[in-house]
Amino acid sequence: MLSVRMQRDQGLAPLVLLLLVGGYFVSGTESSDYSETEVLPDSFPSAPAEPLPEFLLEPEDAFIVKNRPVQLRCRASPATQIYFKCNGEWVNQNDHVTRESLDQITGLVVREVDISVSRTQVEELFGLEDYWCQCVAWSSAGTTKSNRAYVRIAYLRKNFEQEPLGREVRLEQEVLLQCRPPEGMPAAEVDWLKNEDVIDPSQDSNFLITIDHDLIIKQARLSDTANYTCVARNVVAKRRSSTATLIVYVSGGWSSWTEWSECNARCGRGWQRRTRSCTNPAPLNGGAFCEGPPFQRVTCTTLCPVDGGWTEWAKWSACGTECTHWRSRECQAPPPRNGGKHCSGSMMESKNCTEGLCARTLAPGMGVAVYAGLVGALLLCVILVLCVGVLAYRRRCRHLHGDITDSSSALTAAFHPGNYKPPRQDNPHPLHPSAPPDLTATAGAFRGPLFSLQQGVNDSPHKIPMTTSPLLDPLPSLKIKVYNSSTLSSLELPADICSDGEILSLKSVGTVGRERDYHSHTLSREPGLSTSATLGNLGGRLTIPNTGVSLLVPPGTIPQGKFYEMYLIINKWDKTTLPSEGSQTVLSPVVSCGPSGMLLNRPVVLTLPHCAQLDTPTPDWTLTLKTQTHQGAWEEVLTVGEETLSSPCYLQLEEECCHVLMEQLGTYGLVGQSCPPQPACKRLQLALFAPRAPCLSLDYSLRIYCIHDTPHALKEVLDLERSLGGVLLEDPKPLFFKDSYHNLRLSIHDIPHTHWRSKLLAKYQEIPFYHIWSGSQRPLHCTFSLERGSLAVSQLTCKICVRQVEGEGQIFQLHTDIQETLPPHSPLPSGGTCLPSSQVGPYAFRLPDSIRQKICASLDAPSARGCDWRLLARSLGFDRYLNYFATKPSPTGVLLDLWEACHQADADLVSLATALEEMGKSEVLVVMTTDGDC
């Protein structure tokens, strides 16, 4: 402050001196005009202080384009001098262009200066800092410096760091096109062109340009199918990226089914047809065509019209008083049916009965005789009616007081076709075997032993059962014939047959024609996918090897003395309707067991493998067991966790399979769907196959299958590849596939390009999410086609990556010699270790019958301390819904049946013995130790 003030005082000294001299001069020369008494003041007022220079215009940053120099300019007021300093050195005064003016308002001096900076000056600068210049202005009050202005050489590289790539996306999918502009000074600005038109996000909200210059299309529309170009520009140049072609495709969707057409046969059996079109929407731009058939055809039967026909004429009536008699006929040979024509002609015919010699009057006395005869005939008719009524009444009274049912009526009633319904689960009193069949159902649907005698509801309980009545003894043989509309079959049984030799196969017993036709059409037995055996009261087990599917028939399930030919079939996916609908997914093979409709004394256990991932801490699945009706439709049997007393089945769920306790045989399948908020997860297997060596062609293909993680699915693929001549390169790899609507992406990497070439143009392949989740297409696979440079090349090394987008994945590290014959490799168990397809009698069960009976006798009775079958269920892990077992005559027996099914592969008695030991059943343990193999 002191130095500034001294400078200011020094600057004002001449002005003060001038004023003093001027004042003296004025007062000396003009003293006459003033009074002598006026005296000069001791001090004079000083002039106002001049402010520091203030910059009205400061130099700005500039870029040298090519070789054109840049101009830097600054302006300050008040300023006595103004100069530029660049990189700390003063610019030569001759390089300045200075202009001076006067501010009209303040009266202060305004100075403006320009300099020119060339490319050479900037390039000659060495160091880390950029070239800069600064303006310095002076006034009497001091100096002021402007901001620094940087001078840089402008440029823009030619190559983009990342260019947008063309792709194909489905309708309404989000699209990301990436662009990284080339390096430049100043930084390049980016614009996006759509078919050479600039995209303005403010005009179209569906577009978004990020801070990283990426273009996002929020929902792809058909109109967004175009060529997209990224344009980068600055003061030097403009660069264009390569054009990325975006194709928005639409996968086809089915329209609604049309109405069924009329039957094409006017008489008899024909066909009905309905169609749908792939127009909802129609596939566009290479979208997938609709899956499934465009038409459906079912059989139909049109009743043939039958024209009516006359019966024979009846006899002529007696001659009447009019001298005529008549005769009649009816239109009943046959009667008109189904729209047939009625008989033409008259129903009655009359003619003269005296050949024209008719006497219209009666002789005297004839009228009285005629009337007397009529009265006598009437009295005779009344007497006959009374006699018939008395006889009928006496016969009825004698019938009602009898103690033994008429044998003929009992035998006739026993063979009436009926539909026997099992007792409901909520009924605590199961039906007695002698209860009458339900005749309200469709006649002919046989569901019970054909020759079991039935007892009427109103019969007295002390009547003699016809099965043990001596009335049947004299019969030398008994022939039973069952007829229905579609089949004719008979079963002939000798009357003196032994009870153990009675064999009844429901395959030979006629059922309703429609049901028999349906099952014979759909249940085709494929080699390796079915098994059958004739089972009796001792029970047995049916197992389809290497599939994880089995059926356990406990002892006592089939009535004593009866034998059934039972079967177990895995339905092929291309020959059955899938049970899933909506967002549900199929988790197990669809299995048929039968014969359907047979009467079971206790539940059987059906074991199905599944691919649901269940080891999560929270429940992610809603699992449903479904069954297929005779018409082919699927119905829900039960939902796990929502069982009630009316639920006909019980489902025991394990990590890799489920066991279904059921009393009605048929077709079953397990489906599931995600339980919010967590997405469910399916267990899949990835199997890599290649052509069998030696390879004699330049072409070579690798096939990767994506299948359910079940033994049946892997066996199906192995059989398919065996028929195609393929070999499994390594053990299948597991993959968890989430219900996240993301596709499965497969790509191949690290191919030795010196000897091999990939024929795939795209960087990766994708399997749509819905194809995997719905399970409608089997088996799913992708093929990588390769080509080697010459036949001498035999080594192939590459890496195949398989992963769900935003999910988990697997990597196959492949190193193989395509000319080397690989030994047969199968991840399935060998033939010596797999279970036999069928086991009959005691050999099918690990637990001896004597031990089973003693355990049931010890645990069936309820215990006040709870040490009964309920504690056994908790110890074995079968206590999810105890009410199901409580409705059975022997809950312990059903629990042991379920234990046999759950431990068919490793059924040692240790786990069961441990559970009994924890319950304190020492007496049962002694029996197991002495009688069993513990």
PDB file of all heavy atoms in Angstrom, residues 260-273 297-303 514:
ATOM      1  N   TRP A 260     -64.053 -76.077 -35.395  1.00  0.00           N
ATOM      2  CA  TRP A 260     -63.904 -77.385 -36.033  1.00  0.00           C
ATOM      3  C   TRP A 260     -64.781 -77.456 -37.285  1.00  0.00           C
ATOM      4  O   TRP A 260     -65.939 -77.024 -37.266  1.00  0.00           O
ATOM      5  CB  TRP A 260     -64.312 -78.500 -35.073  1.00  0.00           C
ATOM      6  CG  TRP A 260     -63.323 -78.722 -33.965  1.00  0.00           C
ATOM      7  CD1 TRP A 260     -63.442 -78.339 -32.672  1.00  0.00           C
ATOM      8  CD2 TRP A 260     -62.048 -79.376 -34.068  1.00  0.00           C
ATOM      9  NE1 TRP A 260     -62.340 -78.703 -31.943  1.00  0.00           N
ATOM     10  CE2 TRP A 260     -61.457 -79.351 -32.768  1.00  0.00           C
ATOM     11  CE3 TRP A 260     -61.355 -79.975 -35.107  1.00  0.00           C
ATOM     12  CZ2 TRP A 260     -60.218 -79.902 -32.506  1.00  0.00           C
ATOM     13  CZ3 TRP A 260     -60.112 -80.528 -34.834  1.00  0.00           C
ATOM     14  CH2 TRP A 260     -59.553 -80.487 -33.561  1.00  0.00           C
ATOM     15  N   SER A 261     -64.217 -77.982 -38.325  1.00  0.00           N
ATOM     16  CA  SER A 261     -64.991 -78.144 -39.547  1.00  0.00           C
ATOM     17  C   SER A 261     -66.007 -79.273 -39.373  1.00  0.00           C
ATOM     18  O   SER A 261     -65.950 -80.045 -38.415  1.00  0.00           O
ATOM     19  CB  SER A 261     -64.055 -78.458 -40.722  1.00  0.00           C
ATOM     20  OG  SER A 261     -63.408 -79.710 -40.513  1.00  0.00           O
ATOM     21  N   GLU A 262     -66.935 -79.326 -40.304  1.00  0.00           N
ATOM     22  CA  GLU A 262     -67.897 -80.415 -40.269  1.00  0.00           C
ATOM     23  C   GLU A 262     -67.200 -81.728 -40.617  1.00  0.00           C
ATOM     24  O   GLU A 262     -66.171 -81.751 -41.290  1.00  0.00           O
ATOM     25  CB  GLU A 262     -69.036 -80.155 -41.255  1.00  0.00           C
ATOM     26  CG  GLU A 262     -69.878 -78.931 -40.904  1.00  0.00           C
ATOM     27  CD  GLU A 262     -71.027 -78.754 -41.872  1.00  0.00           C
ATOM     28  OE1 GLU A 262     -71.125 -79.568 -42.825  1.00  0.00           O
ATOM     29  OE2 GLU A 262     -71.817 -77.816 -41.688  1.00  0.00           O
ATOM     30  N   CYS A 263     -67.757 -82.797 -40.129  1.00  0.00           N
ATOM     31  CA  CYS A 263     -67.182 -84.110 -40.414  1.00  0.00           C
ATOM     32  C   CYS A 263     -67.222 -84.361 -41.916  1.00  0.00           C
ATOM     33  O   CYS A 263     -68.260 -84.149 -42.575  1.00  0.00           O
ATOM     34  CB  CYS A 263     -67.967 -85.178 -39.659  1.00  0.00           C
ATOM     35  SG  CYS A 263     -67.104 -86.757 -39.531  1.00  0.00           S
ATOM     36  N   ASN A 264     -66.090 -84.782 -42.475  1.00  0.00           N
ATOM     37  CA  ASN A 264     -66.018 -84.938 -43.926  1.00  0.00           C
ATOM     38  C   ASN A 264     -66.756 -86.177 -44.427  1.00  0.00           C
ATOM     39  O   ASN A 264     -66.902 -86.371 -45.625  1.00  0.00           O
ATOM     40  CB  ASN A 264     -64.554 -84.987 -44.386  1.00  0.00           C
ATOM     41  CG  ASN A 264     -63.817 -86.189 -43.819  1.00  0.00           C
ATOM     42  OD1 ASN A 264     -64.309 -86.855 -42.908  1.00  0.00           O
ATOM     43  ND2 ASN A 264     -62.641 -86.461 -44.343  1.00  0.00           N
ATOM     44  N   ALA A 265     -67.165 -87.018 -43.496  1.00  0.00           N
ATOM     45  CA  ALA A 265     -67.906 -88.217 -43.899  1.00  0.00           C
ATOM     46  C   ALA A 265     -69.379 -88.004 -43.582  1.00  0.00           C
ATOM     47  O   ALA A 265     -69.744 -87.681 -42.453  1.00  0.00           O
ATOM     48  CB  ALA A 265     -67.371 -89.450 -43.187  1.00  0.00           C
ATOM     49  N   ARG A 266     -70.226 -88.160 -44.569  1.00  0.00           N
ATOM     50  CA  ARG A 266     -71.653 -88.007 -44.337  1.00  0.00           C
ATOM     51  C   ARG A 266     -72.240 -89.198 -43.589  1.00  0.00           C
ATOM     52  O   ARG A 266     -73.307 -89.094 -43.011  1.00  0.00           O
ATOM     53  CB  ARG A 266     -72.384 -87.825 -45.664  1.00  0.00           C
ATOM     54  CG  ARG A 266     -71.984 -86.551 -46.403  1.00  0.00           C
ATOM     55  CD  ARG A 266     -72.805 -86.380 -47.657  1.00  0.00           C
ATOM     56  NE  ARG A 266     -72.464 -85.137 -48.349  1.00  0.00           N
ATOM     57  CZ  ARG A 266     -73.037 -84.741 -49.482  1.00  0.00           C
ATOM     58  NH1 ARG A 266     -73.974 -85.501 -50.038  1.00  0.00           N
ATOM     59  NH2 ARG A 266     -72.673 -83.614 -50.041  1.00  0.00           N
ATOM     60  N   CYS A 267     -71.519 -90.299 -43.655  1.00  0.00           N
ATOM     61  CA  CYS A 267     -72.011 -91.494 -42.994  1.00  0.00           C
ATOM     62  C   CYS A 267     -70.811 -92.295 -42.511  1.00  0.00           C
ATOM     63  O   CYS A 267     -69.921 -92.626 -43.296  1.00  0.00           O
ATOM     64  CB  CYS A 267     -72.875 -92.322 -43.952  1.00  0.00           C
ATOM     65  SG  CYS A 267     -73.443 -93.889 -43.248  1.00  0.00           S
ATOM     66  N   GLY A 268     -70.764 -92.565 -41.213  1.00  0.00           N
ATOM     67  CA  GLY A 268     -69.668 -93.361 -40.684  1.00  0.00           C
ATOM     68  C   GLY A 268     -68.551 -92.509 -40.128  1.00  0.00           C
ATOM     69  O   GLY A 268     -68.727 -91.353 -39.751  1.00  0.00           O
ATOM     70  N   ARG A 269     -67.343 -93.077 -40.133  1.00  0.00           N
ATOM     71  CA  ARG A 269     -66.194 -92.428 -39.509  1.00  0.00           C
ATOM     72  C   ARG A 269     -65.495 -91.505 -40.495  1.00  0.00           C
ATOM     73  O   ARG A 269     -65.322 -91.857 -41.662  1.00  0.00           O
ATOM     74  CB  ARG A 269     -65.200 -93.482 -39.002  1.00  0.00           C
ATOM     75  CG  ARG A 269     -64.016 -92.895 -38.256  1.00  0.00           C
ATOM     76  CD  ARG A 269     -63.223 -93.972 -37.568  1.00  0.00           C
ATOM     77  NE  ARG A 269     -62.078 -93.417 -36.854  1.00  0.00           N
ATOM     78  CZ  ARG A 269     -61.297 -94.105 -36.044  1.00  0.00           C
ATOM     79  NH1 ARG A 269     -61.536 -95.380 -35.841  1.00  0.00           N
ATOM     80  NH2 ARG A 269     -60.285 -93.522 -35.426  1.00  0.00           N
ATOM     81  N   GLY A 270     -65.090 -90.334 -39.998  1.00  0.00           N
ATOM     82  CA  GLY A 270     -64.390 -89.370 -40.836  1.00  0.00           C
ATOM     83  C   GLY A 270     -63.459 -88.517 -40.006  1.00  0.00           C
ATOM     84  O   GLY A 270     -62.982 -88.927 -38.948  1.00  0.00           O
ATOM     85  N   TRP A 271     -63.202 -87.309 -40.491  1.00  0.00           N
ATOM     86  CA  TRP A 271     -62.245 -86.420 -39.833  1.00  0.00           C
ATOM     87  C   TRP A 271     -62.835 -85.031 -39.687  1.00  0.00           C
ATOM     88  O   TRP A 271     -63.605 -84.579 -40.530  1.00  0.00           O
ATOM     89  CB  TRP A 271     -60.940 -86.338 -40.638  1.00  0.00           C
ATOM     90  CG  TRP A 271     -60.236 -87.642 -40.800  1.00  0.00           C
ATOM     91  CD1 TRP A 271     -60.309 -88.489 -41.869  1.00  0.00           C
ATOM     92  CD2 TRP A 271     -59.375 -88.265 -39.847  1.00  0.00           C
ATOM     93  NE1 TRP A 271     -59.551 -89.600 -41.653  1.00  0.00           N
ATOM     94  CE2 TRP A 271     -58.951 -89.492 -40.413  1.00  0.00           C
ATOM     95  CE3 TRP A 271     -58.911 -87.910 -38.581  1.00  0.00           C
ATOM     96  CZ2 TRP A 271     -58.094 -90.357 -39.757  1.00  0.00           C
ATOM     97  CZ3 TRP A 271     -58.057 -88.765 -37.927  1.00  0.00           C
ATOM     98  CH2 TRP A 271     -57.661 -89.974 -38.518  1.00  0.00           C
ATOM     99  N   GLN A 272     -62.445 -84.392 -38.590  1.00  0.00           N
ATOM    100  CA  GLN A 272     -62.715 -82.974 -38.395  1.00  0.00           C
ATOM    101  C   GLN A 272     -61.381 -82.247 -38.320  1.00  0.00           C
ATOM    102  O   GLN A 272     -60.407 -82.779 -37.801  1.00  0.00           O
ATOM    103  CB  GLN A 272     -63.502 -82.735 -37.109  1.00  0.00           C
ATOM    104  CG  GLN A 272     -64.989 -83.008 -37.232  1.00  0.00           C
ATOM    105  CD  GLN A 272     -65.707 -82.706 -35.947  1.00  0.00           C
ATOM    106  OE1 GLN A 272     -65.459 -83.359 -34.939  1.00  0.00           O
ATOM    107  NE2 GLN A 272     -66.595 -81.728 -35.960  1.00  0.00           N
ATOM    108  N   ARG A 273     -61.361 -81.042 -38.797  1.00  0.00           N
ATOM    109  CA  ARG A 273     -60.107 -80.307 -38.909  1.00  0.00           C
ATOM    110  C   ARG A 273     -60.325 -78.866 -38.476  1.00  0.00           C
ATOM    111  O   ARG A 273     -61.370 -78.285 -38.722  1.00  0.00           O
ATOM    112  CB  ARG A 273     -59.631 -80.368 -40.367  1.00  0.00           C
ATOM    113  CG  ARG A 273     -58.353 -79.609 -40.667  1.00  0.00           C
ATOM    114  CD  ARG A 273     -58.132 -79.610 -42.170  1.00  0.00           C
ATOM    115  NE  ARG A 273     -56.979 -78.831 -42.557  1.00  0.00           N
ATOM    116  CZ  ARG A 273     -55.793 -79.330 -42.860  1.00  0.00           C
ATOM    117  NH1 ARG A 273     -55.633 -80.626 -42.830  1.00  0.00           N
ATOM    118  NH2 ARG A 273     -54.789 -78.562 -43.200  1.00  0.00           N
ATOM    119  N   ARG A 297     -56.298 -82.428 -36.344  1.00  0.00           N
ATOM    120  CA  ARG A 297     -57.309 -83.292 -36.939  1.00  0.00           C
ATOM    121  C   ARG A 297     -57.728 -84.336 -35.922  1.00  0.00           C
ATOM    122  O   ARG A 297     -56.891 -84.954 -35.265  1.00  0.00           O
ATOM    123  CB  ARG A 297     -56.744 -83.969 -38.191  1.00  0.00           C
ATOM    124  CG  ARG A 297     -57.779 -84.703 -39.016  1.00  0.00           C
ATOM    125  CD  ARG A 297     -57.188 -85.219 -40.305  1.00  0.00           C
ATOM    126  NE  ARG A 297     -56.205 -86.258 -40.092  1.00  0.00           N
ATOM    127  CZ  ARG A 297     -55.667 -86.994 -41.053  1.00  0.00           C
ATOM    128  NH1 ARG A 297     -56.024 -86.789 -42.309  1.00  0.00           N
ATOM    129  NH2 ARG A 297     -54.771 -87.913 -40.767  1.00  0.00           N
ATOM    130  N   VAL A 298     -59.018 -84.516 -35.772  1.00  0.00           N
ATOM    131  CA  VAL A 298     -59.561 -85.511 -34.869  1.00  0.00           C
ATOM    132  C   VAL A 298     -60.580 -86.345 -35.625  1.00  0.00           C
ATOM    133  O   VAL A 298     -61.125 -85.924 -36.662  1.00  0.00           O
ATOM    134  CB  VAL A 298     -60.225 -84.850 -33.639  1.00  0.00           C
ATOM    135  CG1 VAL A 298     -59.203 -84.105 -32.803  1.00  0.00           C
ATOM    136  CG2 VAL A 298     -61.345 -83.912 -34.063  1.00  0.00           C
ATOM    137  N   THR A 299     -60.783 -87.523 -35.106  1.00  0.00           N
ATOM    138  CA  THR A 299     -61.754 -88.404 -35.731  1.00  0.00           C
ATOM    139  C   THR A 299     -63.166 -88.007 -35.310  1.00  0.00           C
ATOM    140  O   THR A 299     -63.380 -87.417 -34.250  1.00  0.00           O
ATOM    141  CB  THR A 299     -61.501 -89.863 -35.316  1.00  0.00           C
ATOM    142  OG1 THR A 299     -61.591 -89.959 -33.889  1.00  0.00           O
ATOM    143  CG2 THR A 299     -60.122 -90.315 -35.768  1.00  0.00           C
ATOM    144  N   CYS A 300     -64.093 -88.278 -36.171  1.00  0.00           N
ATOM    145  CA  CYS A 300     -65.501 -88.002 -35.899  1.00  0.00           C
ATOM    146  C   CYS A 300     -66.346 -89.117 -36.502  1.00  0.00           C
ATOM    147  O   CYS A 300     -65.908 -89.826 -37.427  1.00  0.00           O
ATOM    148  CB  CYS A 300     -65.924 -86.643 -36.448  1.00  0.00           C
ATOM    149  SG  CYS A 300     -65.703 -86.479 -38.240  1.00  0.00           S
ATOM    150  N   THR A 301     -67.498 -89.276 -35.970  1.00  0.00           N
ATOM    151  CA  THR A 301     -68.409 -90.300 -36.453  1.00  0.00           C
ATOM    152  C   THR A 301     -69.766 -89.668 -36.704  1.00  0.00           C
ATOM    153  O   THR A 301     -70.355 -89.053 -35.806  1.00  0.00           O
ATOM    154  CB  THR A 301     -68.539 -91.447 -35.443  1.00  0.00           C
ATOM    155  OG1 THR A 301     -67.243 -91.998 -35.199  1.00  0.00           O
ATOM    156  CG2 THR A 301     -69.459 -92.539 -35.969  1.00  0.00           C
ATOM    157  N   THR A 302     -70.224 -89.790 -37.917  1.00  0.00           N
ATOM    158  CA  THR A 302     -71.535 -89.272 -38.295  1.00  0.00           C
ATOM    159  C   THR A 302     -72.504 -90.436 -38.378  1.00  0.00           C
ATOM    160  O   THR A 302     -72.236 -91.441 -39.069  1.00  0.00           O
ATOM    161  CB  THR A 302     -71.461 -88.543 -39.646  1.00  0.00           C
ATOM    162  OG1 THR A 302     -70.485 -87.506 -39.571  1.00  0.00           O
ATOM    163  CG2 THR A 302     -72.810 -87.948 -40.003  1.00  0.00           C
ATOM    164  N   LEU A 303     -73.579 -90.325 -37.655  1.00  0.00           N
ATOM    165  CA  LEU A 303     -74.578 -91.387 -37.678  1.00  0.00           C
ATOM    166  C   LEU A 303     -75.248 -91.436 -39.039  1.00  0.00           C
ATOM    167  O   LEU A 303     -75.729 -90.417 -39.559  1.00  0.00           O
ATOM    168  CB  LEU A 303     -75.613 -91.159 -36.575  1.00  0.00           C
ATOM    169  CG  LEU A 303     -75.050 -91.153 -35.140  1.00  0.00           C
ATOM    170  CD1 LEU A 303     -76.158 -90.831 -34.152  1.00  0.00           C
ATOM    171  CD2 LEU A 303     -74.411 -92.486 -34.820  1.00  0.00           C
ATOM    172  N   ARG A 514     -63.921 -95.785 -26.573  1.00  0.00           N
ATOM    173  CA  ARG A 514     -63.130 -94.566 -26.778  1.00  0.00           C
ATOM    174  C   ARG A 514     -61.864 -94.597 -25.943  1.00  0.00           C
ATOM    175  O   ARG A 514     -60.796 -94.210 -26.380  1.00  0.00           O
ATOM    176  CB  ARG A 514     -63.959 -93.339 -26.425  1.00  0.00           C
ATOM    177  CG  ARG A 514     -65.118 -93.088 -27.384  1.00  0.00           C
ATOM    178  CD  ARG A 514     -65.860 -91.811 -27.010  1.00  0.00           C
ATOM    179  NE  ARG A 514     -66.984 -91.584 -27.903  1.00  0.00           N
ATOM    180  CZ  ARG A 514     -66.895 -90.924 -29.035  1.00  0.00           C
ATOM    181  NH1 ARG A 514     -65.746 -90.438 -29.405  1.00  0.00           N
ATOM    182  NH2 ARG A 514     -67.956 -90.732 -29.802  1.00  0.00           N
TER     183      ARG A 514
END
